[in-house]
Amino acid sequence: MEPEMEDKTLELMNTSGMESQNLVDDLSPKKNTVLKLSNGPVVGPRKRPSEGNYEKEKEHCIALFDQWSEADQVEFVERLISRMCHYQHGHINSYLKPMLQRDFITALPAQGLDHIAENILSFLDARSLCSAELVCKEWQRVISEGMLWKKLIERMVRTDPLWKGLSERHQWEKYLFKNRTTEVPPNSYYHSLYPKIIQDIETIEANWRCGRHNLQRIQCRSENSKGVYCLQYDDDKIISGLRDNSIKIWDKQSLECLKILTGHTGSVLCLQYDERVIVTGSSDSTVRVWEVTTGEVLNTLIHHNEAVLHLRFANGLMVTCSKDRSIAVWDMASPTDISLRRVLVGHRAAVNVVDFDDKYIVSASGDRTIKVWSTSTCEFVRTLNGHKRGIACLQYRDRLVVSGSSDNTIRLWDIECGACLRVLEGHEELVRCIRFDNKRIVSGAYDGKIKVWDLQAALDPRAPASTLCLRTLVEHSGRVFRLQFDEFQIISSSHDDTILIWDFLNVSTNGQSEGRSPSRTYTYISR
């Protein structure tokens, strides 16, 4: 290639006499020029004076350049660049940068690849998607026709329980997860919907922080005894276990009692249900399995020698614990086919609470310890020590254990290493119930108070203790026995024979004092 290039250079120089000699002079290094490709100093004249024949020479060079092959053109330009000084390289670099930039979002649809452009932009968050719409009309068209605001909302609903709950409650879920049909609104609908959702979320979070709520109250009075020991709820119903030996099922909207299940001969201390069955534990030492829809008793398990204090079941496994200091692990093939797999012993006092997942069974006792067992083998793993008095409640999820004790404290534990991560102080009596999600811990105690704690701050050792309790809710007039919560509400039960629904979504804005709202009460009198 070099001889051919030299021939072309000679041809170029022989074309115009003195003019070509001037061109050769320009392409040759000057005597006082130091040609280096390094970043060191470059010596030499920076600009040659304009001359009348420059334009003619330039046009002739361009004409010859256009006749060469692409490879020859590249080699020729490389040789020219190598003869330039550093500041000239900077000018060329500035000139080339915008030429090398490509608008691939505009180019892809031109090649019939709209779906790739849509897929790339679908990974943007809301702020970036807004900016992308302003780039040009073609980007805006891709976003609009690709329904990317709809896809962004769908992605949030799939991954965030708060978004999912809002979609169900505000009924815009019916416009999601559908193909492009005439029933689906245009992209502009979802674009305007997104900031409304963000506003709703900010309002809910502010209500939690400030304690603003709408309160509903269910009175569960019975003739012989008072107290609601346990509960669980869903969007349609609340199921509660009472001191009067009964299980009551309530309509969550009207707050009316739909059904009463009887059969236990002692107080109903714990319960859990799914779409098929309700499983209850009682101070009569038995575990009963009920059919959800009919209330029929399907099975009665007689194993423990004293009161069944707590139970959990999932994925064909059930774990129960008792005042008799033992833990029973059961295989649940069906509601009527439940067999005892193993009995776990080791606690020196009543086992008050159990929880488990695929890896560990976790139990807590009045002996002040938390014990960890292998779910698959039922072998003992470790003991967590730290509480100064008996432990009344705990929840375990994703390596984190949160426990409440009669020493009035709440402790956060790393189950893998057994370390206590944080101690929360604030309750004035025994902490009886506790639940947490990825944002909050909610606890109830014998002081009649419910406290909302910032979980993420509690896990940060730098966070001051004074900032951890977000709100204290005071409405119960007796001990708080059990609570459950989600992104929108807390439902709690108490020795005062009531079930309270603390609604942080549908909050009145009529100027009520912060943290207290008019309550709607339904009273059920047993006969």
Side-chain angles (χ1 to χ4, degrees):
M1 185 65 69
E2 287 292 336
E4 184 180 351
M5 182 59 63
E6 293 294 339
D7 291 342
K8 290 178 178 178
T9 306
L10 289 173
E11 179 186 351
L12 179 63
M13 292 189 294
N14 291 330
T15 53
S16 60
M18 185 60 70
E19 294 176 2
S20 21
Q21 182 61 43
N22 293 336
L23 178 60
V24 173
D25 292 341
D26 289 337
L27 290 176
S28 302
K30 305 300 185 206
K31 291 182 179 180
N32 61 340
T33 300
V34 178
L35 293 176
K36 292 185 180 178
L37 297 181
S38 65
N39 292 328
V42 177
V43 181
R46 290 199 166 193
K47 184 176 181 183
R48 87 170 172 79
S50 298
E51 298 179 3
N53 56 358
Y54 164 70
E55 290 297 331
K56 187 186 300 183
E57 294 171 356
K58 181 178 70 173
E59 293 301 326
H60 187 66
C61 289
I62 292 173
L64 290 174
F65 184 84
D66 290 340
Q67 297 174 14
W68 300 341
S69 66
E70 289 185 2
D72 290 346
Q73 289 174 343
V74 169
E75 183 177 353
F76 183 75
V77 171
E78 287 176 349
R79 293 194 63 185
L80 286 178
I81 293 174
S82 70
R83 305 172 78 87
M84 293 180 180
C85 59
H86 187 65
Y87 93 95
Q88 290 173 309
H89 293 158
H91 279 289
I92 293 173
N93 183 56
S94 300
Y95 179 74
L96 289 177
K97 266 188 176 178
M99 296 179 65
L100 295 174
Q101 294 173 349
R102 293 294 182 91
D103 181 0
F104 57 90
I105 296 299
T106 300
L108 286 170
Q111 301 296 322
L113 301 173
D114 297 65
H115 62 289
I116 296 179
E118 293 171 8
N119 190 48
I120 292 170
L121 293 179
S122 69
F123 288 95
L124 298 179
D125 58 20
R127 185 181 298 275
S128 301
L129 200 57
C130 282
S131 299
E133 285 185 312
L134 302 176
V135 171
C136 64
K137 290 183 178 179
E138 182 61 20
W139 283 46
Q140 186 181 43
R141 183 194 67 79
V142 171
I143 292 170
S144 177
E145 294 184 4
M147 302 292 284
L148 297 192
W149 282 102
K150 173 175 176 286
K151 291 179 180 178
L152 175 60
I153 294 173
E154 289 173 343
R155 187 167 76 239
M156 298 302 297
V157 169
R158 279 194 300 266
T159 57
D160 191 315
L162 182 53
W163 283 72
K164 181 174 176 58
L166 283 173
S167 73
E168 294 168 350
R169 286 164 172 76
H170 290 173
Q171 299 184 349
W172 39 264
E173 64 171 345
K174 60 186 177 182
Y175 300 121
L176 303 177
F177 306 107
K178 293 184 178 180
N179 295 327
R180 302 180 188 183
T181 65
T182 54
E183 300 177 359
V184 177
N187 187 65
S188 57
Y189 166 80
Y190 301 97
H191 193 172
S192 60
L193 176 62
Y194 190 92
K196 295 177 183 176
I197 299 171
I198 296 299
Q199 181 61 50
D200 286 343
I201 291 173
E202 290 175 350
T203 300
I204 292 168
E205 295 295 338
N207 290 341
W208 275 96
R209 288 193 305 272
C210 300
R212 290 190 294 265
H213 62 272
N214 180 53
L215 189 69
Q216 296 174 288
R217 189 187 307 266
I218 300 175
Q219 299 282 1
C220 305
R221 296 192 185 98
S222 57
E223 295 175 356
N224 301 320
S225 59
K226 293 174 61 177
V228 186
Y229 282 135
C230 53
L231 64 82
Q232 184 182 336
Y233 72 88
D234 57 38
D235 289 340
D236 302 315
K237 60 185 176 295
I238 303 170
I239 301 182
S240 58
L242 282 79
R243 189 180 179 188
D244 67 5
N245 309 347
S246 70
I247 298 113
K248 290 187 172 70
I249 303 176
W250 310 85
D251 184 286
K252 192 165 180 295
Q253 304 306 317
S254 67
L255 308 186
E256 295 180 356
C257 185
L258 302 175
K259 193 174 298 182
I260 303 175
L261 311 182
T262 58
H264 279 298
T265 57
S267 300
V268 181
L269 303 178
C270 53
L271 68 81
Q272 183 184 343
Y273 72 85
D274 61 14
E275 65 278 359
R276 299 182 303 160
V277 297
I278 308 168
V279 183
T280 57
S282 168
S283 58
D284 65 12
S285 307
T286 67
V287 175
R288 289 180 180 255
V289 183
W290 316 73
E291 211 281 333
V292 167
T293 54
T294 65
E296 176 188 358
V297 178
L298 302 176
N299 204 340
T300 301
L301 306 178
I302 302 174
H303 165 75
H304 288 290
N305 298 322
E306 296 190 60
V308 179
L309 301 179
H310 200 250
L311 63 84
R312 299 293 294 167
F313 71 88
N315 303 320
L317 183 70
M318 179 169 67
V319 181
T320 60
C321 63
S322 170
K323 191 177 178 181
D324 65 12
R325 307 182 184 183
S326 73
I327 302 161
V329 182
W330 309 79
D331 289 310
M332 297 181 69
S334 71
T336 56
D337 183 7
I338 302 175
S339 58
L340 182 64
R341 178 197 294 185
R342 186 82 174 265
V343 177
L344 309 179
V345 293
H347 284 293
R348 295 175 295 166
V351 185
N352 293 319
V353 59
V354 289
D355 204 351
F356 73 93
D357 63 8
D358 293 338
K359 189 171 185 180
Y360 295 124
I361 297 170
V362 186
S363 60
S365 167
D367 65 8
R368 301 181 295 180
T369 67
I370 298 171
K371 292 190 180 295
V372 183
W373 320 75
S374 168
T375 302
S376 57
T377 66
C378 293
E379 297 298 323
F380 174 73
V381 177
R382 65 177 56 89
T383 298
L384 310 182
N385 289 296
H387 281 294
K388 298 176 182 178
R389 301 183 67 181
I391 302 166
C393 57
L394 68 73
Q395 183 185 352
Y396 159 53
R397 192 184 73 183
D398 297 336
R399 187 169 178 166
L400 181 65
V401 176
V402 181
S403 59
S405 166
S406 56
D407 64 11
N408 305 347
T409 68
I410 297 165
R411 286 179 180 257
L412 283 64
W413 310 82
D414 183 329
I415 197 171
E416 294 294 346
C417 65
C420 179
L421 306 175
R422 173 76 81 160
V423 179
L424 305 180
E425 297 179 306
H427 281 294
E428 298 165 5
E429 294 186 44
L430 177 149
V431 181
R432 183 65 179 82
C433 49
I434 199 157
R435 305 298 293 172
F436 70 89
D437 61 12
N438 60 346
K439 297 178 183 177
R440 306 177 183 91
I441 302 170
V442 182
S443 60
Y446 277 5
D447 58 11
K449 298 174 182 177
I450 294 172
K451 288 184 177 288
V452 181
W453 311 80
D454 186 332
L455 174 59
Q456 297 306 316
L459 292 173
D460 182 356
R462 298 167 298 179
S466 60
T467 65
L468 302 182
C469 184
L470 301 176
R471 208 71 193 174
T472 299
L473 306 174
V474 184
E475 287 287 350
H476 282 295
S477 59
R479 298 172 170 179
V480 180
F481 284 143
R482 195 62 54 91
L483 61 81
Q484 183 183 345
F485 78 99
D486 57 38
E487 291 78 11
F488 307 102
Q489 62 199 328
I490 301 170
I491 299 185
S492 59
S493 66
S494 168
H495 188 268
D496 64 14
D497 226 34
T498 66
I499 298 172
L500 298 186
I501 303 172
W502 314 73
D503 186 352
F504 297 94
L505 174 62
N506 304 298
V507 177
S508 173
T509 56
N510 58 1
Q512 295 291 329
S513 60
E514 184 178 280
R516 302 180 68 90
S517 301
S519 62
R520 178 161 63 97
T521 302
Y522 176 82
T523 303
Y524 174 79
I525 307 297
S526 63
R527 302 184 184 280

